[in-house]
Amino acid sequence: MKPSGLPGFLRRSIRSVDDDDDDHDRSEHFQQGSSSFPSHGSMIPPSYSNSRGQGAVTELNDSDRVQFGAKVQTDDLNNDLKKIHVSDGVDAKFRMVGTSHTLKSSIKKTPSATNESKGDVTKTADGEKQTSISPEQATAQSSDSSSTMTREATAPTRNYKEGKFDKILSANVVDIAELRKLAWNGVPPEHRPQVWKMLLGYLPANTSRRSQTLKRKRQEYRDAIAQHYDIDDHSRTMQEQETLRQVLVDVPRTAPDVPLFRNDMIRQSLSRLLYIWAMRHPASSYVQGINDLATPLIAVFLSEYFKGDVLQGEELEELTREILNDVEADVYWCLTNLLAGIQDHYTQDQPGVQRMVMRLEELVKRIDVGLTNHLEETGVQFIQFAFRWMNCLLMREFNLQCIIRLWDTYLSEGDGGFETFHVYVCASFLCQFSGELQGMQFDELFAFMQNIPTNDWDDGKIEIVLSQAFVLSTLFQGSDAHLTSPNPKSIF
Amino acid sequence: MSARVDEEYDYLFKVVLIGDSGVGKSNLLSRFTRNEFNLESKSTIGVEFATKSIQAEGKTIKAQIWDTAGQERYRAITSAYYRGAVGALLVYDISKHSTFENVERWLKELRDHAEANIVVMLVGNKSDLRHLRAVETDEAMAFSEQHNLAFIETSALDASGVDTAFQRILTEIYRLMSRRNMAAEEAANSPNLSGGQTISLGADAGGDKKGCC
C-alpha cells in the first residue's frame, strides 16, 4: 500500500488562492521547507478543509461518544439516515472554483511523489507511538530555512503525515473531528485499521474504554453466531434457508480476482458475517453487493496482523482462528455501522439507490451538458449503468486498493460519505470519460460503461476524482434546488 | 461516430436472460457473444448487456441481450427490461433442483411484465455437471411441453448447446414475426396480388440503429 500524500514541495502549487485561512496548526510550515507561505499537507487547500472540518466538529463533539456508542449497541433495524450536513461558506465556494484546475494538475504528480516518500515508511507492529514531531519541533524547523535533506535527517523514520496520525491517535481521547480532517486525504496503511474502526464509530475515541468495548462486542458477535449460524438447517425458516443459499452462492464470487478472498477460512468468515447481518436486518436482508462492501473491511482489518501484502494472501498460513474470529467480529460491527447509514439502498425497491441515481443524473446535467445530451441521444439511461455504481459503491469499477483509498475519504465525510459524497464522486468519475463517451454509440458506450478501464488506476487517480468531487460538493451541497427538477420523473 | 460494418443487420431482437442467481446466465451470455467463460465471474448487479449478430434464413439478425440479476430484490429494476423484449431465455441449473422449481415463478414474472407473445425458451445450464445432475432432462422436457416453451440443455463451460440455444430462439422469433407480418399484410391488402414483397418490421429494420428500450 502506498502512502498517498504529497510532499509539501510538490503541493505548493496547489495554493493558488489568497492565504487568508485561519490555519491553527503552524507546525505545517514544516512541510513547506523554505516556502514563505503556510499550507496544509493536504490535497485540499486549508481554507476548505477548515470550513468543512468546522462544520463537522460541532456535530461530532456531541455525537462522538454518545451517538456512535449508542449506534453500535442497538444494531437496530430501522436506523434513520443520520446525515451530517457540512455547511460550506459561500466564500469557500468561490475560492474552490478558482483552484480546481491547479488542484488537478498538482495532484497528477502524486505517483512520483509517492515513490519518493516511500523510503521513509517504517512499519511498526502496534502502529502507534513512533517518532513523531511535536508542533514545537516542527515550528522550530520550519523557521530554519534549511534544505529538504536536512529535515529528512532529523526525522528519518516517520514522514510528516504519519507523524500527525501518531500524534492524534496517541491522545487519551482521540479528537475525532481532527482525525476526520486528517484522514480525508488518505490514511497511512499502518494506521488504517484503527482509524477506520474509529471513524465507523466502533472503536471508542477514549483509550481507556477500548479493550473493554472490543471484548464485549466480539463476545456479542460470538453469541450471534451460536444463535443464527451454528444451528441445524431444519430449524431455519424457508426464507432463512434461501438467504443462506444466496450468501453461499455469492461468497465464492466475491472479489475472486483477489487472492485473499480465495482462502477458505476467509470465505467462511465472510459467509457467516453476511448471513448474521441479514438475520439481524430483515427489512433488507442480504442483497447482492453487500458482500462486496465487506471486502475492504476484511482486507484492512487483517492488515493489522500481517506485514505482508494481505490482498495477495501473503502470510495467510499464519492466520490463526483467534485472529480471524476477532477480525470477523470487527468486520461485522463495522459493516453494520456502515450499512446503517445507507440501509434504504437495500430495502424493497431500493429507494436509496434510485434516489442517488436520480441525483447523479441531475448533477451531470448541470456540469456536463454535452455528455448528458449525448447519453440522451444514444438512448443510454443513467439507471442502466449507475445502478451498480450506487448499489456496490463503485466497488465493481475499481480495484480493491483504490477502493480502500476512496473509503479513507468516505469515512472522513461522516455518515454522508457513502451517500451524499459518493454521488459527487460518481459524477466526477463519469466526467473523466466524457470525451471518449461522446464518441460512442449505444452498444459501444454500454460495453464501455460495464467495463470501465481502470486497471491502471492508483491512489493518485482516485485523489483527482476525490478532489473534483469535493469541488462539486462545495458548489452544490445544500443547494438542493439546483439539483431537483420541478417534476422529478421515475427512473424506471 | 463509430458506424461499423458489423452494425448492418436486417432485424434487431431484444432478448432477456432470466433465472435464479448462480445458474450461469452471465456466462451463457459471454460464451455466446465473446466465446468466453469465467469460472470466477462476479454476481450481476442490476442488468448487463451485450449484442451479437447471427444469420437466420438468409437474414442478419442482431440480438440485443439483457442479462439480469437473479436475486429477488432486483426484480423492480430488472423487470423494467422485459418491456419490448421479444424473447426470453429462462435459465436453471441442472445440478440444483430448487432453481428448476423456481421456473414457475419466473414464468409469472414474464406474464406480469413482458409482452404477451414473447418467445420463451427453457434452458438447463451446467450440463457438464453430469455426476451432480438433479433435474432430469425428461422432467424438464415434460414441463416445457406442458407450458409451451422451447427447451434445451447447455453448458456455458464446455460451450455445448449455447450457440444452438440462441440460434434457435432467434430463428423462432424471426419466423413468428414474419408470419405475423405476412398475416398483417394480407389482412391489410387482401385483394392485392403482387407477391415477393419484402417484410418490414418498421422501427426494427435497417442498419445503424440505436437501442430500442
Side-chain angles (χ1 to χ4, degrees), chain A residues 246 253 256-257 262 284 286-288 346-347 349-350 377 384 387-388 391-392 396 441-444 446 450 492, chain B residues 1-2 7 21-22 40-46 48-49 51 62 64 66 71 73-74 76-77 81 210-211 213:
Chain A
Q246 186 68 63
R253 301 195 284 175
D257 43 337
R262 294 200 204 114
S284 65
Y286 169 74
V287 178
Q288 292 180 318
Y346 304 108
T347 49
D349 291 345
Q350 306 189 261
E377 281 163 21
Q384 290 167 338
F387 181 85
R388 188 170 81 181
N391 191 82
C392 300
R396 297 291 180 93
Q441 289 307 304
F442 188 87
D443 291 1
E444 196 187 353
F446 219 102
Q450 279 171 181
F492 287 143
Chain B
M1 300 293 172
S2 56
E7 291 285 80
S21 70
E40 296 183 327
S41 62
K42 297 176 184 175
S43 59
T44 305
I45 304 295
E48 290 190 9
F49 163 88
T51 60
K62 180 172 169 179
Q64 190 187 61
W66 295 87
Q71 203 189 0
R73 183 53 40 89
Y74 293 119
I77 173 162
Y81 291 87
K210 293 168 190 164
C213 43

Side-chain angles (χ1 to χ4, degrees), chain A residues 27 47 188 202 208 222 232 240 248 282 287 314 325 331-332 368-369 374 394 414 434 437 453:
Chain A
S27 69
S47 43
Y202 176 57
S208 63
R222 270 192 285 278
D232 197 88
E240 286 168 354
L248 294 177
V287 178
E314 284 173 17
N325 282 347
V331 171
Y332 171 80
D368 196 335
V369 180
H374 181 72
L394 285 175
S434 180
L437 293 171

Side-chain angles (χ1 to χ4, degrees), chain A residues 434-455:
Chain A
S434 180
E436 281 161 277
L437 293 171
Q438 290 186 50
M440 296 177 190
Q441 289 307 304
F442 188 87
D443 291 1
E444 196 187 353
L445 206 155
F446 219 102
F448 184 89
M449 295 305 264
Q450 279 171 181
N451 202 0
I452 297 181
T454 59
N455 290 338

Side-chain angles (χ1 to χ4, degrees), chain A residues 13-307:
Chain A
S13 60
I14 292 176
R15 291 197 56 87
S16 64
V17 291
D18 292 344
D19 181 35
D20 58 351
D21 63 88
D22 49 346
D23 190 353
H24 303 301
D25 191 352
R26 289 292 154 184
S27 69
E28 313 227 0
H29 294 208
F30 168 57
Q31 262 292 309
Q32 295 302 323
S34 56
S35 162
S36 58
F37 49 77
S39 170
H40 270 238
S42 70
M43 298 173 352
I44 304 303
S47 43
Y48 315 122
S49 311
N50 283 346
S51 76
R52 292 174 72 79
Q54 278 163 3
V57 173
T58 43
E59 285 273 348
L60 290 163
N61 283 343
D62 303 332
S63 63
D64 172 23
R65 266 142 285 170
V66 187
Q67 286 205 353
F68 279 147
K71 208 159 96 181
V72 177
Q73 281 165 27
T74 49
D75 185 22
D76 55 351
L77 311 173
N78 300 309
N79 232 310
D80 287 333
L81 281 174
K82 188 165 93 52
K83 290 203 178 79
I84 295 178
H85 273 293
V86 183
S87 60
D88 300 292
V90 179
D91 56 338
K93 288 180 195 172
F94 288 123
R95 282 179 291 171
M96 203 60 211
V97 182
T99 30
S100 60
H101 182 71
T102 331
L103 208 58
K104 184 175 169 184
S105 58
S106 321
I107 289 158
K108 275 183 179 162
K109 295 174 188 167
T110 300
S112 61
T114 310
N115 289 338
E116 275 181 53
S117 58
K118 215 174 182 177
D120 296 338
V121 183
T122 315
K123 194 150 181 152
T124 58
D126 60 2
E128 274 188 37
K129 307 218 167 149
Q130 272 287 302
T131 327
S132 66
I133 296 158
S134 69
E136 293 77 15
Q137 274 176 296
T139 318
Q141 283 170 31
S142 72
S143 61
D144 164 21
S145 57
S146 53
S147 70
T148 315
M149 292 296 289
T150 325
R151 285 198 310 281
E152 277 176 359
T154 55
T157 52
R158 308 295 286 165
N159 70 23
Y160 174 73
K161 192 174 186 176
E162 289 163 338
K164 285 213 79 167
F165 274 96
D166 287 341
K167 190 178 156 228
I168 285 190
L169 293 173
S170 61
N172 282 337
V173 179
V174 172
D175 184 340
I176 297 287
E178 274 302 312
L179 185 62
R180 279 188 204 285
K181 259 199 254 178
L182 194 59
W184 203 97
N185 299 298
V187 182
E190 69 184 88
H191 295 300
R192 200 171 263 136
Q194 195 188 352
V195 171
W196 279 24
K197 283 176 203 170
M198 279 191 201
L199 293 182
L200 277 162
Y202 176 57
L203 194 66
N206 191 328
T207 326
S208 63
R209 287 182 45 223
R210 274 179 213 159
S211 63
Q212 195 60 30
T213 304
L214 285 182
K215 202 174 153 203
R216 182 170 48 83
K217 300 308 285 185
R218 286 167 179 173
Q219 185 54 47
E220 262 182 61
Y221 178 71
R222 270 192 285 278
D223 296 344
I225 294 178
Q227 188 192 344
H228 296 295
Y229 199 83
D230 291 340
I231 55 168
D232 197 88
D233 264 352
H234 297 297
S235 44
R236 291 186 217 278
T237 65
M238 286 290 278
Q239 206 175 359
E240 286 168 354
Q241 285 181 31
E242 170 53 28
T243 303
L244 185 58
R245 189 198 73 84
Q246 186 68 63
V247 167
L248 294 177
V249 163
D250 283 351
V251 165
R253 301 195 284 175
T254 306
D257 43 337
V258 179
L260 172 67
F261 294 100
R262 294 200 204 114
N263 179 291
D264 284 341
M265 279 165 83
I266 301 288
R267 282 182 174 178
Q268 196 202 10
S269 284
L270 182 60
S271 309
R272 276 205 301 215
L273 73 91
L274 289 174
Y275 179 74
I276 291 167
W277 186 88
M279 290 301 102
R280 296 240 169 147
H281 298 81
S284 65
S285 190
Y286 169 74
V287 178
Q288 292 180 318
I290 292 179
N291 54 333
D292 289 337
L293 301 187
T295 57
L297 298 172
I298 292 175
V300 166
F301 295 171
L302 270 178
S303 74
E304 196 173 341
Y305 300 90
F306 301 103
K307 287 197 180 72

Side-chain angles (χ1 to χ4, degrees), chain B residues 121-142:
Chain B
M121 177 183 261
L122 184 65
V123 180
N125 192 35
K126 307 197 187 180
S127 64
D128 53 286
L129 298 176
R130 287 170 206 92
H131 53 298
L132 295 172
R133 180 183 282 277
V135 183
E136 292 307 321
T137 311
D138 290 349
E139 184 187 4
M141 207 177 289

